[in-house]
Structures are given as structure tokens and as C-alpha cells.
Amino acid sequence: MIDIKLLREDPERVRASQRARGEDDGIVDAIVAAEQAHRSSLTEFERLRTEQKSIGKQVARAQGEEKQALLGQTKELAARVRQLQADADAAQTELGDLLRQVGNLVEDGVPVGGEDDYTVLETVGEPPQFDFDAKDHLALGESLAAIDMERGAKVGGSRFYFLTGVGARLELALLNMGMAQAVEHGFTPMITPTLVKTEVMAGAGFIDKHADEVYRLEADDLFLTGTSEVALAGYHADEILDLSAGPRRYAGWSACYRREAGSHGKDTRGIIRVHQFHKVEMFTYCRVEDAAAEHQRLLAWEKEMLAKVELPYRVIDTAAGDLGGPAARKFDCEAWVPTQGRYRELTSTSNCTTYQARRLNTRERDPYGSGTRAVATLNGTLATTRWIVAILENHQQADGSVRVPTALQPFLGLDVLKPV
RNA sequence: GGAGGCGUCGCCUAGUCCGGUCUAUGGCGCCGCACUGCUAAUGCGGUUUGGGUUUAUCGCCCAUCGAGGGUUCAAAUCCCUCCGCCUCCGCCA
């Protein structure tokens, strides 16, 4: 949720952000009108409520006829107060509904446009040249007895899989390496709930426009999360944090669930796009002034991980229309996938500024004045199951084996994966 | 799943039976000031959060006693639903 004070004071900035996203900028005027309507109904309610309370005190002291007279006077007033309160509540709900439709203010410098309008910020490493027929990750995974899609489908349906033997060990090694790096940089490791309440899911911004991408357990009114970001965003909901000593950083380890409702036929082979995977996710709470710098730090830590697994990749600055509601800016690191001849997303880091925190009511004491203000939240990927795709393909050798990147070897306990 | 207990403005706590003087008590902590070689101690004042009003300060007003409804002129207090925590029993990874 964006700051309504900012919208009131600088509506043009919000309009510009909406246009950059390819969204309706007329909503800004609708919000201004809804806020005025809310305020006037609230003022009217408060005026009568004051009167009602004042008479109430007289009633408490009065006796006999005088009391009866006052009661007659205030009964009618009570009904009006009730109505005005209902009006004010309705106006507030309407205002909130409108406000929640507005995406976060896009950061300056973000490319305008949609999914294909990203900017490539940097390309790191060279795609490998093979003097043999390169196999794709599934062929490799099967010959290494690392991935079993068939039985995954038998048990869970399409887009489910088993990681077996070295495949399972590889995933654990990767995630553990991610966790170890996070700890080294001062993150608090967290194993998070993957089922969350509606308020948390909505607060993190995962319901509004992408509701069909998340699993919902109707019988229990819970959502399965697609990332530990959701639980970590909810972790400090309704709290006032002390960020005077610097950012609070958490590294969440969790299973992640995605319905992939809109992607029929896309990436159907292998484990690139699956309903369940595992991830280590960085999550930061910091002051809004520090958010842009923290975003760069998260990106740097993602790059550190990618360097450790020795993958060629590029960094893109996602265009405004592809940001999603909560993010003000998003950088993705995409690794080269040889058999596809293109880069595929392995990490994604978003600066959500105060958008999630405002919805989840996560605040700090205002360092520049009295009262409280919303904190900033950011997130970024350290490792996921999908990384296995790029590791297998980029490090495959002529004999069908796969070289294990040096940094990963201590976590895996192997320096090469051999066909069985 | 069953039985019982509990949830008050950072923490602890009074108030709930019997609705109005609750503008929510007291302690701890914290902040400010005073006093004092310094510290400590002591004294005085302040200290939920959100919103409205105000150029701003001071102030005033509204909401907020786990959440949401209801009864009532009036709800921390009575009723209903839900949530969470604790104890015990049962069942089970």
C-alpha cells in the first residue's frame, strides 16, 4: 500500500508511476475523492459522538424526570450516531480498496514497459563451448539418477518430481551453502511456516493480482506460500522495530508452492517450472533511506552465490510493468542455460520500500520526528532448486559426468557427479 | 478431539461478579527536568497506538482494554462468534 499522504501532496508522482506500470492513473483522483468523502463522514460522526457522550454523562448523574427527558433526547441521537459510524466505516473500506489497487511507486531509473522491456545491467562470465553433444538438465539428471520426473508425476501429478541420490544431495548442498553465506553476512537463519493466514498473504501483496497463482486451502482458510518472503514479511507485523543499529536481516529456508496456472505448456520438461521447490531467501527490514543501498547489497550477495557455483549469468533491471505490486524496483540474475541458448531467472531481488510494511503495520520510531513510520522491506534469492538446472548443464563433461564447482564441494562431499 | 483457565496502553498489574465518577490503577522500565564534585539515590513531570482539528506549538476531539458482532441512552465490564496462549485428558507423527 502506498502512502496516502504522499498521494495527497504529490499526486502527479503517483500518476507517473501508474503510467510507467501501464496501469490506470485515473485512480489517483478517485482516491483523493474517496478520502475527502471518508474524512467528512468521519468528522460528522465524531461531532455527534461527542454530543452523545456528553449527554451520557448527564444521564449518569440525573434523576427522575430530568433523566427521562435526557433519555428521550439521546435515544434518537444514538441511532444517528450508529448510522454515521456505519457510513464512515463504509467510506473507509472504499478508500482502502482503492488504495490497495495502486502498485508501489516505481523507483527512478526503472525501465518503462512490460516483460520484454528490461535493461541488461551486466553480463558475467562466458557461456561454455562444448565439443560434444550437450545434454539438457533432465537427460543429465536421469543418467546421474538425480531427478525422477515420472515417479514425481505418479505421486503428485505433472510438474512434480523426486530428487534422488546425488540430486537430493546437490539441492541440500546448494541450500546449505546459501544458508552458510547468509549467516556469514549476519543474517538470522529462519525456517518458516509455509501456510499463512489471509492477512499475511494479502499484506505481502500476493493476493491482489496474482490470486490464481497461489494454492489456497479452503477448509482452513490458509494459503500455501510461494516463497518464505511471505512469512518473513509477516514475522514483524504489527510491531514497532528498532532499526537504529542498522537493518534486520533474515534468511528464510522453505518449501515453495506455485500453481503455475497461467503457464500451461511452458517449461514442461524437467524441473525448471514446478509446483514445489525449495529456496533460501534473504529478507531485510531497514529504514526507507537505506533501502536502495540495501537492494544493491542483496544483489551483491546473490552474485556472490552465483560466482560460487561458477555460472555465466546476466543481471537485468526489470521494467515497471513487470514489477508486481509491492516492488519499486527488481533485479533478476539470469543464468545461461546451454540447451535453451538463453538466460533463465535464478534469483530475483525486490525493493518493496514501505509498501508491504504499511499493509502489515510494521513500523519504527520516526528518527526525524515524533510518532512512527513504516519501515522498508526487501527480499532476494540465495538458492533454489532451479539452480540445479544451470549447474548440471553448464558443468557437464564429455563423458556425461558433471563437475562440482569448487565452493560447493565441501557442502556436497563430491567433486564430480558420475552417471550410474 | 474433550475439560478447565487466561488475554488490560513496552513488561507486570488493579478494574470485569453488581454497566455510568474508567478521562483505565499501581509498580518496573524508559525519556525530560531539578538537586548533588561525578555516578548513584531522591523529587517533579512525561510515557499505547491510529485518526481528526490547528500554518505550527499548546490544546481540543474521536477511536483503541486479543478480533469482530450484539444488547443498551451508555460496555474493559453483559451476550454471541472467532483467534491466540496455558494446564490436564485422549489420539498421533
Side-chain angles (χ1 to χ4, degrees):
Chain A
M1 195 153 62
I2 63 159
D3 185 357
I4 192 158
K5 286 194 198 105
L6 188 142
L7 182 141
R8 201 188 302 140
E9 285 159 16
D10 192 358
E12 188 44 41
R13 198 170 151 207
V14 181
R15 283 192 203 102
S17 173
Q18 285 292 94
R19 285 194 295 270
R21 286 174 172 275
E23 303 273 343
D24 170 30
D25 67 348
I27 196 169
V28 171
D29 292 327
I31 289 171
V32 170
E35 200 204 4
Q36 273 165 5
H38 173 235
R39 193 172 303 182
S40 68
S41 67
L42 193 63
T43 303
E44 187 64 6
F45 158 74
E46 287 183 357
R47 197 175 61 76
L48 260 74
R49 177 67 175 149
T50 308
E51 196 182 333
Q52 185 193 21
K53 285 173 76 166
S54 150
I55 296 175
K57 280 188 184 134
Q58 296 173 47
V59 170
R61 284 192 298 266
Q63 299 290 331
E65 265 181 42
E66 190 193 354
K67 185 162 190 164
Q68 291 310 313
L70 283 166
L71 282 180
Q73 189 183 341
T74 193
K75 270 187 182 172
E76 188 207 344
L77 187 60
R80 286 173 64 201
V81 166
R82 215 187 311 259
Q83 182 57 47
L84 285 166
Q85 177 157 40
D87 292 348
D89 287 350
Q92 185 169 36
T93 302
E94 193 183 327
L95 175 61
D97 287 348
L98 284 170
L99 210 49
R100 268 186 291 275
Q101 286 174 37
V102 179
N104 200 354
L105 276 190
V106 172
E107 194 177 308
D108 288 340
V110 169
V112 173
E115 194 176 351
D116 301 322
D117 298 312
Y118 55 83
T119 305
V120 177
L121 297 177
E122 187 182 5
T123 303
V124 178
E126 288 294 320
Q129 301 296 320
F130 297 118
D131 52 8
F132 54 92
D133 280 344
K135 295 178 183 165
D136 77 1
H137 79 276
L138 184 54
L140 288 162
E142 285 173 342
S143 71
L144 298 168
I147 301 172
D148 188 338
M149 296 300 299
E150 261 180 54
R151 293 194 177 93
K154 179 169 73 179
V155 170
S158 70
R159 295 197 193 280
F160 282 94
Y161 58 96
F162 282 84
L163 293 181
T164 61
V166 292
R169 291 172 67 187
L170 181 57
E171 175 171 292
L172 287 170
L174 255 176
L175 296 174
N176 284 337
M177 185 167 78
M179 216 26 132
Q181 179 185 301
V183 169
E184 186 189 324
H185 291 304
F187 285 75
T188 302
M190 306 280 274
I191 294 175
T192 64
T194 55
L195 283 166
V196 300
K197 298 194 240 181
T198 308
E199 306 96 85
V200 176
M201 202 67 175
F206 282 83
I207 291 184
D208 296 322
K209 290 185 179 159
H210 304 284
D212 58 343
E213 287 172 19
V214 297
Y215 287 103
R216 180 171 179 199
L217 278 71
E218 205 138 350
D220 300 285
D221 203 20
L222 291 168
F223 291 89
L224 271 166
T225 55
T227 164
S228 61
E229 171 194 344
V230 180
L232 292 173
Y235 188 66
H236 286 304
D238 298 317
E239 293 184 27
I240 297 172
L241 300 179
D242 180 3
L243 297 174
S244 59
R248 288 210 194 196
R249 300 191 178 100
Y250 297 101
W253 186 102
S254 81
C256 304
Y257 299 93
R258 304 201 176 172
R259 290 187 68 225
E260 298 297 346
S263 54
H264 296 295
K266 245 195 220 171
D267 299 316
T268 49
R269 185 172 162 81
I271 58 167
I272 288 201
R273 191 178 293 276
V274 289
H275 288 311
Q276 181 196 325
F277 59 93
H278 299 92
K279 180 160 74 148
V280 174
E281 174 91 343
M282 300 179 281
F283 194 92
T284 296
Y285 292 90
C286 71
R287 289 185 166 167
V288 67
E289 298 85 356
D290 300 338
E294 180 70 5
H295 201 195
Q296 291 298 327
R297 284 190 282 268
L298 294 181
L299 178 59
W301 285 319
E302 291 180 344
K303 290 165 71 175
E304 185 180 337
M305 274 295 288
L306 286 160
K308 284 175 180 166
V309 291
E310 302 170 33
L311 291 174
Y313 66 94
R314 66 178 187 181
V315 182
I316 67 166
D317 193 351
T318 307
D322 199 25
L323 282 176
R329 188 168 214 166
K330 182 167 80 166
F331 302 120
D332 289 355
C333 295
E334 301 180 325
W336 180 255
V337 176
T339 63
Q340 296 196 356
R342 60 182 179 132
Y343 290 95
R344 300 301 307 263
E345 177 186 327
L346 287 199
T347 73
S348 182
T349 179
S350 295
N351 179 0
C352 299
T353 64
T354 55
Y355 186 91
Q356 290 176 326
R358 194 166 283 112
R359 288 185 168 201
L360 289 162
N361 194 28
T362 306
R363 295 162 294 161
E364 64 172 331
R365 301 281 167 202
D366 190 335
Y368 307 106
S370 60
T372 65
R373 59 172 199 168
V375 303
T377 60
L378 301 95
N379 61 80
T381 319
L382 273 187
T384 71
T385 306
R386 187 188 271 184
W387 285 42
I388 292 171
V389 173
I391 289 171
L392 293 182
E393 291 206 11
N394 281 283
H395 298 314
Q396 65 179 302
Q397 304 179 107
D399 63 357
S401 67
V402 172
R403 185 178 64 80
V404 177
T406 311
L408 194 55
Q409 288 174 13
F411 292 93
L412 184 53
L414 296 168
D415 56 9
V416 66
L417 308 178
K418 291 178 181 151
V420 290

